[in-house]
Amino acid sequence: EGIAVFQRLTTHYLQAAWAQFDLALAYLQAHRAAEAEKVAKSIPESNRLAPAWTVIGIAESERNRHEDATRAFRKAVEIAPQEEDGWLNLTRELMEQLHFVDASAAAQQSVNNLPRSYALRLRLGATYMKSARYKEAEEVFRDLIAQGDPEPTSAIGLAQVLMLVGRPEEAAEVLGEAQKRLGPNFLLAYFRGIMLGRTA
């Protein structure tokens, strides 16, 4: 019923990009990726804002057309470089395709644009770790911890990096300190158990 309403709006407002975008988004939320992509692409590129490119990127990704998805996400961040979600979409797509070097470059660019973004700094650390840039990953995660990360994520990221470079005892200590700071937490306990196992 919602899609039918949006279809009528696109008929009534033939040249309105907002009406086409709403219909494309409705199709996407209804898991009709091909239709979402078609409608979003019907918006002339001169009027196509970052959210429309994002819909196209998500639809392309869901249809396993990942190079096209990456191009669409890149266009979205080019138009709106201050939008955190755009960078998260782009770096996630690159990581899912195992393009870790490109993902690291995009994550670094995103942090340059949004240096206070917690999510993007975490993503930067993750891309560094996946691309075997362990020293840089360690620095990112340690910086987040030093700033009082209220979540266990950066401590777990740091512990994983330390394990990868053969420092499981230090990894277990990092997680133990995080448990003291954050209180009981399943993920911290789980990963600390793994690290302690590695130290025999």
Side-chain angles (χ1 to χ4, degrees):
E1 291 176 357
I3 287 172
V5 171
F6 291 128
Q7 286 172 332
R8 288 196 295 273
L9 285 169
T10 58
T11 301
H12 188 71
Y13 299 97
L14 290 174
Q15 304 302 318
W18 61 265
Q20 293 165 302
F21 172 76
D22 286 344
L23 176 59
L25 187 59
Y27 278 133
L28 191 66
Q29 292 176 334
H31 306 290
R32 293 163 64 173
E35 291 159 294
E37 178 191 347
K38 181 179 178 181
V39 172
K41 284 185 173 179
S42 71
I43 301 171
E45 285 201 30
S46 58
N47 294 332
R48 199 180 296 166
L49 301 179
W53 282 107
T54 297
V55 167
I56 292 169
I58 294 171
E60 296 277 20
S61 183
E62 289 184 1
R63 301 179 71 196
N64 295 315
R65 293 160 55 173
H66 297 290
E67 289 186 9
D68 292 335
T70 299
R71 279 194 290 270
F73 290 137
R74 285 193 187 281
K75 191 67 178 178
V77 298
E78 178 186 322
I79 293 170
Q82 300 305 313
E83 292 295 327
E84 180 185 74
D85 285 347
W87 291 106
L88 291 172
N89 287 328
L90 173 59
T91 52
R92 180 173 55 249
E93 181 67 28
L94 290 168
M95 291 182 77
E96 286 177 355
Q97 300 312 305
L98 309 182
H99 297 161
F100 299 125
V101 173
D102 290 341
S104 291
Q108 182 60 69
Q109 189 178 354
S110 75
V111 171
N112 290 342
N113 282 306
L114 297 162
R116 299 183 67 181
S117 169
Y118 169 76
L120 291 175
R121 289 163 70 200
L122 273 179
R123 182 62 52 83
L124 178 61
T127 62
Y128 281 155
M129 180 170 63
K130 288 291 188 180
S131 56
R133 294 174 63 178
Y134 300 126
K135 182 176 183 295
E136 293 94 331
E138 180 178 346
E139 289 173 355
V140 170
F141 291 131
R142 284 193 185 280
D143 185 55
L144 285 167
I145 292 169
Q147 293 185 35
D149 185 357
E151 301 293 332
T153 319
S154 56
I156 292 168
L158 175 57
Q160 289 177 313
V161 171
L162 294 171
M163 184 181 70
L164 287 168
V165 297
R167 294 153 63 189
E169 297 90 350
E170 192 175 344
E173 290 175 9
V174 165
L175 295 170
E177 290 169 3
Q179 283 181 307
K180 291 176 185 176
R181 182 167 55 87
L182 301 174
N185 181 280
F186 169 80
L187 287 174
L188 290 173
Y190 174 77
F191 280 101
R192 187 161 185 256
I194 291 174
M195 303 306 167
L196 291 170
R198 295 295 176 90
T199 66

